[in-house]
Amino acid sequence: VPVTEDYYVDGGSLTLEAGASLSFKDGVGLYIGSTAPARLIVKGTADSPVVLTAAGDRAAGAWRGVSLSAKAARSVLEGLVIEYAGTDEGALFIDAEEVTLKGLKLRDAKGTGLLVGDAAGFTAFADNEFKKLGRPAAIDIPARAVAGLGVGNRFDPNAHVLVRGGSLARSAKWQNPGAPLVLSGEVYVDGEAGQRAVLELVPGLELRFTEAAALQIGSSGLGGLNARGTAEAAITFTAHERREPGGWRGVGVHGQGEANIERALFEFGGKAEGDGVLFVMNAGSLALSSTTFRSDVLGVSLADGAKLKSFADNTFVATPVAVALAPEHIGGLGEGNAYDRDSKIKSRGGAVKGKATWSAQGATIELAGEVYVDEGELSIDEGVALLAGPDAQLTIGSSARGTLRVRGTVASPVTIGPAEAERATWRGIALAGNARANVLENLVLTGASNDSAVQVDGEVDAQLTGVTCSKCSGAVVGWSCGAKVTSSQVLATDGTPRLESKPEGC
């Protein structure tokens, strides 16, 4: 059937039976539901498809294509071939709700294959083919409609699905449509009316991000992210344009958000002196396991007050700062994490409350500021290596009862030394007036600048065994009247002037 002028269906329906073929004159298109409710029903089959093609030159863009406007809801397109059609925007435009699109073959299009409008939604979308298109973006779709994309679709090599930014106010599951999803703007997952919206990502899904794009969870409403891959099919978060460290912003978990991530890959993201490729804001919640961070400027960053539910079996490769966090979170770093030799864990100053244990991570933990232990007990296990900035100090019991327990061994001591080669000092350890039951075993200190590397004040009790201080400015240990200090095997080496600074006139 030749179509010589633009064909509009408004206020009715057009049904195309299996085997039907329409050839469109140059520049002509098919338009459904432009001004009044209408439907397009295509009943093609694999053996006898409906074909919409060009009447003249068989060249991409010879005719304009098919448009389902907002009033074309509940249209059904099955077993349809669209060829040699399209403008730069697309060969098939869908802005209608509850559309079924199955068994479509869209080929030899001028630009994007399928352009999905902001009001569109799919009842079914599967087993479609997009081949020989004018643009790598085979589908251009808003974030809210991605959950309608099903599986079994086929694409050209290097093709992708372009996802425009926007908000997800309801829970959604993103399947693997058969090509990477490229996010071109910020996508927000924020529930409405007190309900949590959760975005679920299936194993094997690849999300790519432009430089301006990010995935934001729980910024203005209750939001969640469940990204659980498998050993055979990880979930990938990566850069689309700049495939180098810092090439995209990251995934953010905000104050009303929670993220559960397992067996994923984060690469080419993060910002220097800023957020990690995975960043958790105040009151946001994160559970992270068996996930790899590769070629990121900064891996994971946790703001003060963030909730770290679990952190285990993660791997950091070619990522100079693996984790940036507050002291309260160091105890949440679990077992099985692996780091490059040059990777660091960076911690700013802050408070540690309750019982916390710092365990060896296989990477140096760098303290930038003063760490306070009040209303709590800090235990530092054998093998922990701490680097400390010039202003860093461990202060125990300054305003409320606190305890420090250093549990190194002869073979695997706890070490604390300067972080900056130019200013090779840090302040030291202060056991203040409310510190109680302190035990320091097999501890190696370097470059402490206080009058005593370990200062014991007031009626504080401290037991030191196997404590060594090298290149320290003053004594290894000093105390004031009323303090109870017992020590053995305390050594002052490499320029440290003396072992003890005892009080006088007590």
Side-chain angles (χ1 to χ4, degrees):
V1 177
V3 182
T4 59
E5 297 180 358
D6 287 338
Y7 193 93
Y8 292 89
V9 180
D10 293 298
S13 65
L14 171 63
T15 299
L16 303 176
E17 299 287 354
S21 178
L22 280 69
S23 57
F24 290 79
K25 183 181 177 180
D26 289 0
V28 169
L30 175 60
Y31 302 92
I32 313 296
S34 299
T35 61
R39 296 173 67 202
L40 175 62
I41 307 298
V42 177
K43 296 182 177 180
T45 66
D47 296 330
S48 185
V50 171
V51 178
L52 306 182
T53 188
D57 292 338
R58 297 172 72 83
W63 63 289
R64 293 187 64 83
V66 180
S67 176
L68 303 182
S69 297
K71 295 181 179 180
R74 295 176 298 284
S75 291
V76 177
L77 282 63
E78 296 184 351
L80 173 63
V81 175
I82 300 176
E83 58 185 9
Y84 309 113
T87 63
D88 289 337
E89 287 75 25
L92 173 60
F93 172 65
I94 296 178
D95 197 28
E97 296 181 342
E98 300 180 50
V99 173
T100 295
L101 193 63
K102 297 176 67 176
L104 168 73
K105 291 186 177 181
L106 200 158
R107 59 200 183 203
D108 294 290
K110 181 179 180 181
T112 296
L114 169 61
L115 175 61
V116 181
D118 291 337
F122 294 100
T123 300
F125 186 107
D127 301 317
N128 301 302
E129 181 177 281
F130 300 86
K131 296 286 186 177
K132 299 180 181 179
L133 307 181
R135 288 185 174 177
I139 302 172
D140 186 329
I141 189 170
R144 60 170 296 278
V146 173
L149 301 182
V151 300
N153 306 293
R154 299 171 299 283
F155 297 84
D156 281 331
N158 302 318
H160 61 258
V161 177
L162 185 67
V163 180
R164 305 192 297 275
S167 297
L168 302 180
R170 296 181 179 179
S171 293
K173 183 177 183 179
W174 286 6
Q175 303 277 4
N176 185 349
L181 301 180
V182 175
L183 277 63
S184 62
E186 291 190 288
V187 174
Y188 294 88
V189 182
D190 298 305
E192 295 179 338
Q195 299 297 311
R196 186 176 298 278
V198 178
L199 174 60
E200 180 182 352
L201 307 179
V202 302
L205 186 62
E206 180 177 347
L207 272 66
R208 299 180 182 175
F209 295 78
T210 64
E211 287 192 62
L215 182 58
Q216 309 282 11
I217 312 297
S219 62
S220 63
L222 298 174
L225 173 65
N226 288 338
R228 294 186 173 95
T230 65
E232 297 76 22
I235 297 171
T236 300
F237 300 82
T238 188
H240 177 59
E241 299 156 328
R242 284 182 52 213
R243 297 184 67 78
E244 59 186 37
W248 63 289
R249 292 173 58 193
V251 174
V253 185
H254 295 264
Q256 299 183 72
E258 57 181 32
N260 300 290
I261 301 172
E262 181 179 353
R263 295 193 182 280
L265 168 65
F266 287 81
E267 60 180 4
F268 306 125
K271 298 297 180 183
E273 303 302 327
D275 293 327
V277 67
L278 176 58
F279 58 95
V280 186
M281 306 305 289
N282 183 29
S285 172
L286 174 66
L288 182 69
S289 63
S290 302
T291 291
T292 297
F293 294 81
R294 184 171 62 202
S295 298
D296 297 304
V297 174
L298 199 167
V300 181
S301 61
L302 301 167
D304 294 352
K307 302 172 184 175
L308 187 58
K309 289 187 174 180
S310 61
F311 190 102
D313 301 315
N314 303 300
T315 301
F316 297 86
V317 180
T319 299
V321 180
V323 188
L325 72 180
E328 63 179 304
H329 299 122
I330 297 176
L333 301 178
E335 299 179 347
N337 301 301
Y339 306 83
D340 273 354
R341 183 177 63 179
D342 297 329
S343 289
K344 292 181 180 179
I345 299 168
K346 286 195 172 184
S347 177
R348 53 200 173 271
V352 175
K353 294 185 177 181
K355 284 193 173 184
T357 299
W358 294 1
S359 300
Q361 287 293 311
T364 301
I365 301 171
E366 185 173 311
L367 306 176
E370 190 166 2
V371 177
Y372 298 89
V373 180
D374 297 305
E375 299 180 10
E377 178 182 306
L378 173 60
S379 297
I380 305 178
D381 280 350
E382 61 182 282
V384 171
L386 299 176
L387 292 180
D391 298 324
Q393 176 172 291
L394 287 178
T395 303
I396 315 299
S398 62
S399 62
R401 177 164 176 155
T403 299
L404 175 63
R405 298 183 183 274
V406 176
R407 304 185 295 203
T409 65
V410 173
S412 186
V414 172
T415 64
I416 309 177
E420 300 179 13
E422 298 81 8
R423 299 174 62 187
T425 61
W426 62 290
R427 290 164 62 189
I429 298 174
L431 303 178
N434 294 298
R436 297 291 185 272
N438 304 285
V439 177
L440 283 64
E441 296 179 345
N442 297 299
L443 171 64
V444 176
L445 306 174
T446 304
S449 62
N450 288 343
D451 291 340
S452 299
V454 180
Q455 179 63 45
V456 185
D457 293 326
E459 298 182 357
V460 173
D461 56 311
Q463 178 181 327
L464 283 68
T465 304
V467 176
T468 299
C469 199
S470 66
K471 299 181 181 178
C472 295
S473 299
V476 179
V477 57
W479 61 93
S480 59
C481 293
K484 300 176 183 178
V485 177
T486 59
S487 62
S488 64
Q489 302 176 31
V490 175
L491 299 176
T493 66
D494 200 6
T496 301
R498 56 191 181 279
L499 286 176
E500 300 174 339
S501 178
K502 298 180 180 180
E504 296 179 359
C506 296

